[in-house]
Amino acid sequence: MSLSARLVAGSVMVLAVFLGLTGIAISYSVHQRADAASQDRLQGLVFGILGATNVSDSGELSVSMGELPERTLALEGAGLYAEIVDSDGMRLWRSRSIIESVPPVRASAIGDWQQELVKLANGDHARRIQLQTVWEQDNGAELPFIVHVVDARGDDVRAMARFNRSLWATLLGVAAVLLVLQLAVLRAALGPLRKLGRDIDAMTQGNKEVLEEDFPKELSPLATSVNALHARERGRHESYRHLLDDLAHNLKTPLAILHNLDDSTVSTQANSMQRSIDRYLQRAATETTTTLTPSVLLLPVLERVAESMRKLHQNPALQFEHDISPTAALRAPEADVYEVIGNLYDNACKYGAHHIRTRLHDGVLSIEDDGPGFDADNPQDLLTRGARADAFTEGKGIGLATVKQFVVAWGGEVQLARSDLGGARCSLTLRSMIG
Amino acid sequence: MRALVVEDEDTLREQIVVALRAEGFAIDSSGDGREGLYLACEMPIDVAVVDIGLPEIDGLQLVREARNAGVTVPVLLLTARDTWQDKVEGLEAGADDYLAKPFHMPELLARLRALLRRAGGWAEPTMRFGELEIDTRAQSVSVRGEAVSLTAYEYRVLAYLATNGGEVISKARLLDHLYDEDEMRDPNVLEVFIRRLRQKLDPDKTLSPIETLRGRGYRLALERSTDT
């Protein structure tokens, strides 16, 4: 799972939990306050009914409709219903706004308020509040009764539902805005990481030699370390190469002396030592190719080698044609690129070519000439005849073997064929190496 | 011909000097780059053999500075680092050819002969002037197809005049290019060689191959017959 996906998933989860809990807390709190307000209102209504109640000397209870605090009690089907019953449950009075099937009240202690949600016949719920009280008459007689009010209008419930819908819609909107902001912040915060990734890719493809170190301070040590590691690795690679070169240099001068002594045994041994040195130098060069190799522009190499060939072979008719973009680059050590081009051009010139054409098309670098071409019926055999360079005879084969060793080490392949120029064509497939 | 040999390994330098002297070259030699550069600029050399790895200044720098100073003689670089990148750098510095160490002396001599030939505008190893033929590989001379036996000094005089075919060569220049510094350089001896050469090449006095320009020097008077 990518770092971005993890951070986005984490942010979404935190946001959902936070806003969910916030919504629940707000809803609960508002509900509580709405309940309390409703209770207060119904209690006020009960007190209002008691205020409009009168008990005659004969003990008959009556309620003056005109003094009732809530006009809706006088309207049928208004949803607000009040009733007064005696302690045996016998109705003493009820409002005109009848509600069917209100469950009977239960007796309780004098002065007790009871509040509950009751289920009506139509399945709706209504809020009921009741007060058990006693009317003390002038003659000292007491009339115990219960006043209860049922509010089936559902105003509170609808208001709460509206509030809840509005609350969650708002929270969802806030969540969406916060999520977009969070993504923008994440994108900005992860930008340097993405740039680091791109820069490292460019390094591995040879398009960049070092990482810039203008990263945020958290990433800057990483970039510095990668650069140091890369420099150390390249330095070590270069150092090995130079040490090998120096060793070869120091051995080859004494070998040149031994070669020219009048002693055939010494000369034979010197030849054998020279072949070993050349073979192992070649292997060291092809087997120590580094991953983070910078790219080499091909055209300057081709032109420099071509110019050297004109000088070496002193052939004024020698014509080099380079059909290649000036920006085409090969991801390989520069010295190795010179070795491959040098060997191929030198082969062509040695064998009498006058026109050498080099083209790069679809990742294949082809070098063709108008020389005599390959003697063999199947030129590819020149490359498959033995896998070691020393298995080749001196001359064309050794140069091609060297070319093959380098190209194979780069992950490419070599094809030999006849060119339409009349001579040899050597095609190097270098798709993964061309930058 | 006069050759400069700059090689820091004494034994190898001595081997090259001995082989070149045997081939008829007058020699200037040095073991370090700075002295080699001085000799290249000051001595009348015809060709130089320069090792790349030299003390003081390296072979590439030597060639570069010598070219900047106007030295145009062919230069053969000796190199133990025989990669193509090194070769390209050597040739761009002003060298004309390279030879990777270790090498066989005959190859070095063949390369030098080829360089000298090319510098004189000859593509083939045989220089032809009408009926006179000089084979630079075999160091042999023939007139009308008949071999002419020459001493080493006589051959050197003829080869030098032929390589600079048509050009008037002063006695002093001939002596410079034929003799080492420490050898006897008597102009009278040179006159003797020229007289003997004329007798051997033109016994019946019909060819007149060498012309004497009084007070100025000698010139090969035959028309060059091979195009390059």
Side-chain angles (χ1 to χ4, degrees):
Chain A
M1 195 179 190
S2 76
L3 208 53
S4 299
R6 286 164 198 244
L7 285 170
V8 169
S11 300
V12 168
M13 207 159 70
V14 168
L15 207 58
V17 169
F18 172 74
L19 291 177
L21 289 176
T22 303
I24 289 168
I26 292 173
S27 177
Y28 179 77
S29 167
V30 170
H31 223 94
Q32 290 293 94
R33 295 186 65 174
D35 270 357
S38 177
Q39 187 177 345
D40 287 349
R41 194 163 43 79
L42 290 180
Q43 276 182 342
L45 194 56
V46 168
F47 284 129
I49 291 169
L50 285 176
T53 300
N54 197 18
V55 177
S56 67
D57 293 342
S58 60
E60 279 188 22
L61 185 144
S62 64
V63 175
S64 167
M65 293 302 285
E67 293 176 27
L68 283 176
E70 182 65 64
R71 309 294 300 171
T72 50
L73 284 172
L75 299 172
E76 280 187 36
L80 189 63
Y81 170 72
E83 186 180 33
I84 299 174
V85 294
D86 65 14
S87 49
D88 297 327
M90 291 298 292
R91 179 184 295 140
L92 301 176
W93 173 85
R94 73 171 189 194
S95 64
R96 286 183 193 156
S97 54
I98 299 163
I99 294 177
E100 296 297 331
S101 305
V102 176
V105 295
R106 289 187 300 277
S108 58
I110 302 294
D112 262 7
W113 287 95
Q114 286 198 2
Q115 187 180 227
E116 62 181 336
L117 274 181
V118 292
K119 193 171 181 183
L120 305 179
N122 62 6
D124 288 346
H125 284 87
R127 187 185 296 276
R128 173 161 74 185
I129 190 165
Q130 70 172 61
L131 173 67
Q132 177 94 33
T133 187
V134 173
W135 189 282
E136 193 177 328
Q137 293 175 265
D138 293 341
N139 57 10
E142 290 184 339
L143 177 64
F145 60 89
I146 300 166
V147 181
H148 73 114
V149 175
V150 178
D151 187 353
R153 290 175 299 181
D155 289 352
D156 298 347
V157 177
R158 278 194 296 278
M160 274 312 295
R162 267 200 313 277
F163 173 76
N164 278 342
R165 276 197 302 276
S166 164
L167 172 68
W168 289 113
T170 305
L171 286 178
L172 270 177
V174 169
V177 170
L178 286 179
L179 197 60
V180 169
L181 284 175
Q182 187 77 18
L183 288 175
V185 169
L186 277 179
R187 190 172 171 75
L190 291 175
L193 262 182
R194 277 195 299 275
K195 181 176 182 298
L196 182 65
R198 282 196 303 272
D199 285 1
I200 289 177
D201 278 351
M203 275 176 86
T204 55
Q205 286 165 11
N207 297 328
K208 210 176 189 62
E209 287 201 32
V210 290
L211 293 176
E212 290 154 21
E213 295 187 9
D214 59 344
F215 285 102
K217 66 179 181 185
E218 292 85 351
L219 287 179
S220 190
L222 177 65
T224 308
S225 299
V226 168
N227 280 340
L229 190 68
H230 182 210
R232 197 160 58 233
E233 202 260 353
R234 278 183 66 186
R236 209 167 52 181
H237 186 244
E238 287 295 309
S239 163
Y240 283 148
R241 253 186 127 117
H242 288 150
L243 283 173
L244 278 172
D245 270 358
D246 290 345
L247 176 65
H249 178 77
N250 288 327
L251 285 175
K252 282 182 174 181
T253 301
L255 275 175
I257 296 167
L258 294 178
H259 260 300
N260 294 299
L261 292 177
D262 286 335
D263 186 324
S264 63
T265 311
V266 170
S267 184
T268 306
Q269 292 305 312
N271 271 331
S272 164
M273 288 161 72
Q274 182 198 335
R275 279 197 301 275
S276 294
I277 291 169
D278 288 343
R279 186 164 69 243
Y280 285 106
L281 272 181
Q282 188 78 48
R283 279 183 55 184
T286 53
E287 289 175 12
T288 55
T289 305
T290 57
T291 315
L292 302 176
T293 304
S295 295
V296 182
L297 286 175
L298 269 172
L299 196 55
V301 176
L302 294 170
E303 285 174 349
R304 284 182 76 189
V305 176
E307 200 50 48
S308 295
M309 292 299 150
R310 287 193 186 98
K311 192 165 192 180
L312 272 180
H313 295 278
Q314 289 284 308
N315 185 350
L318 210 50
Q319 181 198 346
F320 288 91
E321 182 186 343
H322 294 145
D323 181 9
I324 186 166
S325 156
T327 56
L330 190 59
R331 202 160 51 254
E334 190 177 27
D336 298 355
V337 179
Y338 272 97
E339 211 57 24
V340 167
I341 303 299
N343 272 300
L344 290 173
Y345 276 17
D346 194 41
N347 259 347
C349 294
K350 262 197 265 185
Y351 287 82
H354 294 95
H355 180 193
I356 296 166
R357 182 169 67 196
T358 303
R359 288 195 287 202
L360 178 65
H361 180 66
D362 197 21
V364 178
L365 185 73
S366 62
I367 293 154
E368 305 170 75
D369 63 62
D370 61 349
F374 301 107
D375 293 336
D377 292 336
N378 186 1
Q380 204 63 20
D381 288 348
L382 282 172
L383 295 171
T384 54
R385 198 194 309 153
R388 287 165 40 191
D390 59 347
F392 286 79
T393 53
E394 194 70 36
K396 202 162 196 170
I398 194 86
L400 289 173
T402 305
V403 170
K404 187 188 173 188
Q405 267 189 314
F406 279 112
V407 174
V408 169
W410 300 340
E413 56 183 71
V414 183
Q415 293 286 325
L416 302 180
R418 181 157 282 279
S419 161
D420 54 12
L421 290 179
R425 184 176 71 220
C426 184
S427 303
L428 315 180
T429 307
L430 302 165
R431 284 189 187 91
S432 60
M433 310 298 298
I434 295 289
Chain B
M1 295 289 171
R2 189 175 198 92
L4 169 66
V5 178
V6 191
E7 162 63 59
D8 60 330
E9 169 55 50
D10 294 342
T11 314
L12 182 58
R13 186 174 67 247
E14 196 49 37
Q15 282 182 341
I16 298 171
V17 167
V18 167
L20 289 180
R21 281 213 172 100
E23 191 76 1
F25 283 92
I27 300 293
D28 294 297
S29 68
S30 172
D32 78 69
R34 198 163 295 285
E35 189 189 18
L37 177 62
Y38 170 79
L39 292 173
C41 294
E42 299 302 326
M43 300 307 291
I45 57 171
D46 298 295
V47 69
V49 179
V50 179
D51 183 29
I52 287 187
L54 290 172
E56 300 292 331
I57 58 171
D58 69 24
L60 291 183
Q61 189 67 15
L62 187 160
V63 176
R64 215 172 276 126
E65 290 191 21
R67 292 292 187 230
N68 288 341
V71 176
T72 56
V73 299
V75 175
L76 174 70
L77 277 180
L78 295 181
T79 170
R81 295 184 178 90
D82 58 342
T83 66
W84 272 102
Q85 195 169 16
D86 291 327
K87 290 170 193 172
V88 168
E89 279 171 15
L91 294 167
E92 284 180 347
D96 297 272
D97 199 0
Y98 64 89
L99 186 58
K101 289 181 184 174
F103 55 84
H104 290 283
M105 209 54 79
E107 188 177 0
L108 173 73
L109 297 175
R111 297 281 189 101
L112 287 181
R113 277 197 298 270
L115 282 179
L116 284 168
R117 221 176 40 239
R118 277 178 0 204
W122 296 92
E124 298 298 321
T126 303
M127 296 188 279
R128 292 187 180 82
F129 294 87
E131 294 168 325
L132 171 67
E133 280 191 9
I134 304 167
D135 184 341
T136 57
R137 275 183 308 195
Q139 298 204 345
S140 62
V141 176
S142 65
V143 176
R144 299 181 191 103
E146 294 287 322
V148 178
S149 175
L150 300 180
T151 65
Y153 272 110
E154 289 163 359
Y155 175 81
R156 281 196 232 170
V157 172
L158 179 62
Y160 191 78
L161 290 173
T163 307
N164 298 283
E167 198 180 334
V168 179
I169 312 290
S170 68
K171 279 186 191 173
R173 183 172 159 193
L174 258 177
L175 289 169
D176 280 343
H177 287 266
L178 297 177
Y179 291 97
D180 284 336
E181 285 292 301
D182 49 357
E183 283 185 280
M184 190 184 68
R185 300 156 65 110
D186 184 353
N188 293 327
V189 175
L190 186 60
E191 284 176 17
V192 172
F193 285 141
I194 296 284
R195 194 165 58 243
R196 276 207 231 144
L197 256 179
R198 282 177 173 143
Q199 284 168 359
K200 287 184 178 179
L201 297 175
D202 186 24
D204 51 3
K205 300 198 185 319
T206 56
L207 200 60
S208 300
I210 299 169
E211 184 183 359
T212 303
L213 292 98
R214 195 159 300 278
R216 290 171 62 198
Y218 302 103
R219 186 171 75 92
L220 192 68
L222 301 176
E223 277 297 307
R224 176 176 174 155
S225 52
T226 305
D227 288 329
T228 57

